[in-house]
Amino acid sequence: MVSEESATERADVPAPPETPRRGLGMLVVMVGVLISAVDGTIVVLALPEIEEDLNISLAAVTWVVVGYLLVVTVLSTQLGRFGDMFGRVRMYKAGFWVFTLGSVLCALAWDASTIIGFRLLQGLGAALIAANSGAIISELYPPEERGRAYGYNAFGFSIGSVLGVLLGGVMVTYVSWQWIFWINVPICLVALVLAGAVLRDHSERRRRTLDFGGMITLGLGLFGILWAMTGLASGPLDGTLIAFLVGGIVLLAAFVLIELRHSEPTLDLSLFRIPTMAPSLMAALLQGVGSFAVLFLVIMYLQGTRGMSPINASLLLVPGYVIGAVVGPYAGRLTDRFGSVVPATVGLGISVAAMAIFAQMTAVSSLWLAAVGNLVIMIGGSFFFPANSTAVMRAAPPDRLGIASGVLRTFSSIGMVFSFTTAMLVASHSIPRDLAFAIFVGTSSLHGRLAVVFADGLSGAFYTMMGIMVLAAILSGLRGKARV
């Protein structure tokens, strides 16, 4: 049975474009997802080189990743609203321009403040791309074909992750960390040319108001909590960290109150009244918490505990990304045929199995455990992402596709941000905090008894992620039997 919102969507959205143009349009969207995935994996492998070359602290280098994710998290819904106001394609192309500029400036950065600041600019471009890509897919494809479309999106993400891992390993080992940003420039320029040639805005412009109070309280609230968590990963708890933590919680409470009263809030809480929306968004958040840190934890294990080089660690993980890329489109077709609930929930179940595999890694176990675990979790993600994205966009009213896309991205990003910081906190429980933090960013490795203890700590982290994934699967299954 199709939800009432889905039926309205079919009636009000303009007919999709011709198939050739639609295929090229999907290619442009996939390039946007690809470049985001490349940036998500390639930067991780370059953190040690950035820290050493720019002579910045370990805490500062962490914000090269966390700051980027925080900008995407805070701005996604507002920039999705820009798409409704000024045109989704126009905002999508603007995202590539901003991302390109941010990449160039990151490559030219000379100290901690510049690399972090330019990464924030790059995050603004990524938010523009991410917040409008889902809505563009909804304009290109009718509801009954969007599962396949989001499957192609998952394919682009997997390919981008493969390229990020491979290029990161090669560039860090043989060239320089600056090239992880220079590589974005030609990809973005190709995307801009294609977007200008094939994408057109079909939706009616709608007046929107910006929620500055919501943006500020959400951004500062998350910043306070994240600052406290990253501080705890590298040092003891003190009054300053407590103040940041308490302040962050208070600001997030204020954010909720503002959202309940604002006519067009940053997070449109009215979307939660749609039966399938709340579990879909919460599943996205928990999936982000449970999965995003996996790459970092595995890299910690391979480089810190097992002493592998960046290029060898990268090559070991490549097969999982390749298989995940192949599975994505087929999983999307299953969504079109059977609805979102089964593929999304099965994907999360597969991810739970992957965590169980990762948890078996020890200081002397076969390295193939890491490769197999990565293969399994990439397959799980390829099932989950297209199905869950389809559920959200089918349920969203047609005049709020941009907002729904941005909200979905916001929840996923919040999960990713807290996954990263949670991984550091877990690592700090197995060995001294400062050493664990150094291993996390790849500036130190372990030997002997300390390597065994640290591997045991990582096993506990994977079991924690498994529990989070189980909760996400339960929420996904609660969407019921409706074909959404």
Side-chain angles (χ1 to χ4, degrees):
M1 178 179 178
V2 181
S3 66
E4 181 179 346
E5 289 78 12
S6 294
T8 304
E9 187 179 63
R10 278 196 179 93
D12 294 349
V13 174
E18 296 293 331
T19 299
R21 181 174 294 274
R22 187 172 67 180
L24 290 173
M26 187 67 229
L27 177 62
V28 176
V29 175
M30 287 174 63
V31 171
V33 174
L34 182 145
I35 195 67
S36 176
V38 167
D39 197 74
T41 54
I42 201 171
V43 173
V44 179
L45 292 165
L47 288 179
E49 296 296 323
I50 293 174
E51 185 269 339
E52 181 179 357
D53 189 46
L54 299 183
N55 192 29
I56 62 179
S57 68
L58 294 174
V61 79
T62 302
W63 282 92
V64 172
V65 175
V66 173
Y68 173 90
L69 290 173
L70 185 59
V71 169
V72 175
T73 299
V74 173
L75 296 183
S76 285
T77 55
Q78 296 299 292
L79 297 180
R81 187 166 300 159
F82 271 24
D84 292 336
M85 294 167 62
F86 306 113
R88 293 154 189 166
V89 173
R90 179 181 296 176
M91 292 297 99
Y92 189 71
K93 290 191 290 186
F96 279 109
W97 283 116
V98 174
F99 192 89
T100 301
L101 176 62
S103 297
V104 170
L105 292 175
C106 283
L108 300 175
W110 57 90
D111 60 15
S113 60
T114 54
I115 185 64
I116 294 173
F118 296 150
R119 277 285 283 173
L120 298 182
L121 178 63
Q122 197 182 35
L124 171 61
L128 279 164
I129 294 170
N132 292 283
S133 61
I136 289 174
I137 290 176
S138 294
E139 290 184 349
L140 289 173
Y141 289 83
E144 64 273 12
E145 296 182 22
R146 286 178 194 158
R148 182 179 61 180
Y150 286 116
Y152 289 134
N153 229 24
F155 177 83
F157 181 86
S158 297
I159 291 295
S161 299
V162 172
L163 291 176
V165 169
L166 281 176
L167 293 175
V170 170
M171 291 176 181
V172 170
T173 303
Y174 300 113
V175 194
S176 70
W177 65 265
Q178 286 88 349
W179 278 94
I180 70 172
F181 297 110
W182 286 122
I183 196 67
N184 293 333
V185 176
I187 299 175
C188 287
L189 293 179
V190 169
L192 281 167
V193 171
L194 287 173
V198 303
L199 291 183
R200 299 290 183 271
D201 276 311
H202 299 287
S203 59
E204 179 184 351
R205 302 289 190 272
R206 298 181 182 273
R207 290 183 60 85
R208 300 290 188 191
T209 58
L210 298 182
D211 177 18
F212 291 106
M215 280 194 295
I216 292 171
T217 51
L218 175 62
L220 292 179
L222 291 175
F223 174 80
I225 296 173
L226 290 169
W227 187 272
M229 292 179 71
T230 54
L232 280 173
S234 57
L237 180 67
D238 56 24
T240 301
L241 294 182
I242 293 174
F244 271 102
L245 180 61
V246 173
I249 294 172
V250 170
L251 285 168
L252 288 182
F255 166 74
V256 173
L257 294 177
I258 290 172
E259 300 309 280
L260 292 174
R261 298 178 181 180
H262 200 280
S263 59
E264 295 192 42
T266 295
L267 287 181
D268 189 350
L269 299 181
S270 68
L271 291 175
F272 283 79
R273 297 172 186 167
I274 301 172
T276 60
M277 189 67 75
S280 298
L281 293 175
M282 292 306 300
L285 187 149
L286 291 173
Q287 196 273 344
V289 175
S291 67
F292 186 71
V294 167
L295 174 63
F296 303 100
L297 293 172
V298 173
I299 291 296
M300 287 172 69
Y301 169 77
L302 294 177
Q303 295 189 32
T305 304
R306 306 304 295 267
M308 296 183 69
S309 66
I311 184 64
N312 288 334
S314 301
L315 290 173
L316 188 67
L317 300 178
V318 165
Y321 289 104
V322 173
I323 298 300
V326 173
V327 169
Y330 292 100
R333 291 175 185 172
L334 290 178
T335 297
D336 291 332
R337 183 174 180 181
F338 300 108
S340 301
V341 176
V342 172
T345 307
V346 167
L348 291 169
I350 293 172
S351 298
V352 169
M355 297 302 175
I357 295 172
F358 284 130
Q360 308 311 309
M361 298 188 306
T362 68
V364 295
S365 62
S366 171
L367 290 173
W368 283 106
L369 276 176
V372 172
N374 192 59
L375 168 65
V376 175
I377 198 168
M378 290 305 299
I379 292 174
S382 293
F383 272 85
F384 174 78
F385 287 118
N388 200 63
S389 297
T390 300
V392 170
M393 300 311 292
R394 280 180 178 172
D399 62 335
R400 289 192 288 174
L401 290 176
I403 293 175
S405 176
V407 169
L408 175 60
R409 177 64 184 186
T410 298
F411 272 73
S412 297
S413 296
I414 290 174
M416 291 177 185
V417 169
F418 282 100
S419 183
F420 187 89
T421 50
T422 300
M424 291 190 294
L425 281 175
V426 171
S428 70
H429 284 291
S430 56
I431 58 176
R433 286 188 177 94
D434 55 347
L435 182 55
F437 197 80
I439 294 169
F440 186 83
V441 297
T443 56
S444 182
S445 59
L446 297 173
H447 304 284
R449 175 60 184 167
L450 208 53
V452 174
V453 174
F454 187 67
D456 291 342
L458 290 182
S459 177
F462 286 120
Y463 280 124
T464 300
M465 299 300 179
M466 180 191 301
I468 295 171
M469 284 291 194
V470 169
L471 183 57
I474 292 172
L475 284 171
S476 178
L478 287 178
R479 282 178 284 200
K481 300 179 179 180
R483 182 181 171 82
V484 296

